[in-house]
PDB file of all heavy atoms in Angstrom:
ATOM      1  N   SER A 587      29.729 -43.918 -33.039  1.00  0.00           N
ATOM      2  CA  SER A 587      29.746 -45.357 -32.751  1.00  0.00           C
ATOM      3  C   SER A 587      28.607 -45.746 -31.815  1.00  0.00           C
ATOM      4  O   SER A 587      28.002 -46.817 -31.974  1.00  0.00           O
ATOM      5  CB  SER A 587      31.100 -45.761 -32.151  1.00  0.00           C
ATOM      6  OG  SER A 587      31.349 -45.072 -30.938  1.00  0.00           O
ATOM      7  N   GLN A 588      28.289 -44.902 -30.834  1.00  0.00           N
ATOM      8  CA  GLN A 588      27.187 -45.203 -29.936  1.00  0.00           C
ATOM      9  C   GLN A 588      25.855 -45.215 -30.685  1.00  0.00           C
ATOM     10  O   GLN A 588      25.001 -46.074 -30.453  1.00  0.00           O
ATOM     11  CB  GLN A 588      27.151 -44.183 -28.795  1.00  0.00           C
ATOM     12  CG  GLN A 588      28.298 -44.346 -27.808  1.00  0.00           C
ATOM     13  CD  GLN A 588      28.418 -43.170 -26.866  1.00  0.00           C
ATOM     14  OE1 GLN A 588      27.932 -42.076 -27.134  1.00  0.00           O
ATOM     15  NE2 GLN A 588      29.092 -43.375 -25.738  1.00  0.00           N
ATOM     16  N   HIS A 591      25.554 -48.277 -32.764  1.00  0.00           N
ATOM     17  CA  HIS A 591      25.155 -49.427 -31.947  1.00  0.00           C
ATOM     18  C   HIS A 591      23.648 -49.439 -31.695  1.00  0.00           C
ATOM     19  O   HIS A 591      23.008 -50.489 -31.734  1.00  0.00           O
ATOM     20  CB  HIS A 591      25.896 -49.421 -30.609  1.00  0.00           C
ATOM     21  CG  HIS A 591      25.446 -50.511 -29.696  1.00  0.00           C
ATOM     22  ND1 HIS A 591      24.577 -50.285 -28.642  1.00  0.00           N
ATOM     23  CD2 HIS A 591      25.688 -51.844 -29.698  1.00  0.00           C
ATOM     24  CE1 HIS A 591      24.326 -51.419 -28.033  1.00  0.00           C
ATOM     25  NE2 HIS A 591      24.985 -52.381 -28.644  1.00  0.00           N
ATOM     26  N   ILE A 592      23.079 -48.257 -31.421  1.00  0.00           N
ATOM     27  CA  ILE A 592      21.623 -48.182 -31.232  1.00  0.00           C
ATOM     28  C   ILE A 592      20.908 -48.667 -32.491  1.00  0.00           C
ATOM     29  O   ILE A 592      19.955 -49.450 -32.426  1.00  0.00           O
ATOM     30  CB  ILE A 592      21.190 -46.749 -30.893  1.00  0.00           C
ATOM     31  CG1 ILE A 592      21.763 -46.324 -29.533  1.00  0.00           C
ATOM     32  CG2 ILE A 592      19.669 -46.642 -30.856  1.00  0.00           C
ATOM     33  CD1 ILE A 592      21.519 -44.860 -29.196  1.00  0.00           C
ATOM     34  N   PRO A 627      34.322 -53.362 -17.889  1.00  0.00           N
ATOM     35  CA  PRO A 627      32.901 -53.591 -17.597  1.00  0.00           C
ATOM     36  C   PRO A 627      32.040 -52.620 -18.367  1.00  0.00           C
ATOM     37  O   PRO A 627      32.472 -51.526 -18.716  1.00  0.00           O
ATOM     38  CB  PRO A 627      32.810 -53.326 -16.084  1.00  0.00           C
ATOM     39  CG  PRO A 627      34.198 -53.469 -15.595  1.00  0.00           C
ATOM     40  CD  PRO A 627      35.094 -53.039 -16.707  1.00  0.00           C
ATOM     41  N   PRO A 628      30.801 -53.017 -18.666  1.00  0.00           N
ATOM     42  CA  PRO A 628      29.914 -52.108 -19.385  1.00  0.00           C
ATOM     43  C   PRO A 628      29.777 -50.790 -18.662  1.00  0.00           C
ATOM     44  O   PRO A 628      29.504 -50.773 -17.465  1.00  0.00           O
ATOM     45  CB  PRO A 628      28.582 -52.868 -19.398  1.00  0.00           C
ATOM     46  CG  PRO A 628      28.952 -54.293 -19.215  1.00  0.00           C
ATOM     47  CD  PRO A 628      30.174 -54.290 -18.348  1.00  0.00           C
ATOM     48  N   PRO A 629      29.984 -49.673 -19.354  1.00  0.00           N
ATOM     49  CA  PRO A 629      29.856 -48.364 -18.716  1.00  0.00           C
ATOM     50  C   PRO A 629      28.403 -47.967 -18.600  1.00  0.00           C
ATOM     51  O   PRO A 629      27.504 -48.723 -18.943  1.00  0.00           O
ATOM     52  CB  PRO A 629      30.602 -47.448 -19.690  1.00  0.00           C
ATOM     53  CG  PRO A 629      30.374 -48.103 -21.023  1.00  0.00           C
ATOM     54  CD  PRO A 629      30.340 -49.595 -20.761  1.00  0.00           C
ATOM     55  N   SER A 630      28.197 -46.769 -18.117  1.00  0.00           N
ATOM     56  CA  SER A 630      26.837 -46.248 -18.068  1.00  0.00           C
ATOM     57  C   SER A 630      26.306 -46.122 -19.489  1.00  0.00           C
ATOM     58  O   SER A 630      27.072 -46.028 -20.435  1.00  0.00           O
ATOM     59  CB  SER A 630      26.834 -44.880 -17.380  1.00  0.00           C
ATOM     60  OG  SER A 630      27.324 -45.009 -16.073  1.00  0.00           O
ATOM     61  N   PRO A 631      24.988 -46.090 -19.674  1.00  0.00           N
ATOM     62  CA  PRO A 631      24.445 -45.879 -21.006  1.00  0.00           C
ATOM     63  C   PRO A 631      25.075 -44.621 -21.592  1.00  0.00           C
ATOM     64  O   PRO A 631      25.489 -43.748 -20.849  1.00  0.00           O
ATOM     65  CB  PRO A 631      22.947 -45.682 -20.731  1.00  0.00           C
ATOM     66  CG  PRO A 631      22.706 -46.431 -19.467  1.00  0.00           C
ATOM     67  CD  PRO A 631      23.958 -46.250 -18.656  1.00  0.00           C
ATOM     68  N   PRO A 632      25.224 -44.522 -22.905  1.00  0.00           N
ATOM     69  CA  PRO A 632      24.418 -45.206 -23.893  1.00  0.00           C
ATOM     70  C   PRO A 632      25.079 -46.349 -24.641  1.00  0.00           C
ATOM     71  O   PRO A 632      24.549 -46.736 -25.671  1.00  0.00           O
ATOM     72  CB  PRO A 632      24.100 -44.073 -24.865  1.00  0.00           C
ATOM     73  CG  PRO A 632      25.329 -43.230 -24.839  1.00  0.00           C
ATOM     74  CD  PRO A 632      25.893 -43.345 -23.452  1.00  0.00           C
ATOM     75  N   GLY A 633      26.189 -46.912 -24.243  1.00  0.00           N
ATOM     76  CA  GLY A 633      26.793 -47.946 -25.070  1.00  0.00           C
ATOM     77  C   GLY A 633      27.405 -49.079 -24.302  1.00  0.00           C
ATOM     78  O   GLY A 633      27.749 -48.931 -23.128  1.00  0.00           O
ATOM     79  N   PRO A 634      27.584 -50.240 -24.966  1.00  0.00           N
ATOM     80  CA  PRO A 634      28.211 -51.390 -24.325  1.00  0.00           C
ATOM     81  C   PRO A 634      29.722 -51.346 -24.513  1.00  0.00           C
ATOM     82  O   PRO A 634      30.255 -50.476 -25.199  1.00  0.00           O
ATOM     83  CB  PRO A 634      27.598 -52.564 -25.085  1.00  0.00           C
ATOM     84  CG  PRO A 634      27.469 -52.014 -26.478  1.00  0.00           C
ATOM     85  CD  PRO A 634      27.152 -50.541 -26.325  1.00  0.00           C
ATOM     86  N   CYS A 635      30.415 -52.326 -23.947  1.00  0.00           N
ATOM     87  CA  CYS A 635      31.853 -52.409 -24.150  1.00  0.00           C
ATOM     88  C   CYS A 635      32.127 -53.313 -25.345  1.00  0.00           C
ATOM     89  O   CYS A 635      31.232 -53.978 -25.879  1.00  0.00           O
ATOM     90  CB  CYS A 635      32.525 -52.923 -22.889  1.00  0.00           C
ATOM     91  SG  CYS A 635      31.848 -54.491 -22.357  1.00  0.00           S
ATOM     92  N   GLU A 638      30.956 -57.072 -25.670  1.00  0.00           N
ATOM     93  CA  GLU A 638      29.517 -57.207 -25.847  1.00  0.00           C
ATOM     94  C   GLU A 638      29.101 -56.863 -27.276  1.00  0.00           C
ATOM     95  O   GLU A 638      28.149 -57.440 -27.811  1.00  0.00           O
ATOM     96  CB  GLU A 638      28.779 -56.326 -24.838  1.00  0.00           C
ATOM     97  CG  GLU A 638      28.940 -56.851 -23.422  1.00  0.00           C
ATOM     98  CD  GLU A 638      28.149 -56.043 -22.409  1.00  0.00           C
ATOM     99  OE1 GLU A 638      27.766 -54.916 -22.734  1.00  0.00           O
ATOM    100  OE2 GLU A 638      27.936 -56.561 -21.309  1.00  0.00           O
ATOM    101  N   VAL A 639      29.804 -55.918 -27.901  1.00  0.00           N
ATOM    102  CA  VAL A 639      29.525 -55.621 -29.307  1.00  0.00           C
ATOM    103  C   VAL A 639      29.855 -56.837 -30.169  1.00  0.00           C
ATOM    104  O   VAL A 639      29.107 -57.195 -31.088  1.00  0.00           O
ATOM    105  CB  VAL A 639      30.325 -54.389 -29.774  1.00  0.00           C
ATOM    106  CG1 VAL A 639      30.109 -54.140 -31.267  1.00  0.00           C
ATOM    107  CG2 VAL A 639      29.926 -53.155 -28.986  1.00  0.00           C
TER     108      VAL A 639
END
Side-chain angles (χ1 to χ4, degrees):
S587 60
Q588 289 168 339
H591 175 258
I592 295 173
S630 300
C635 55
E638 291 183 342
V639 176

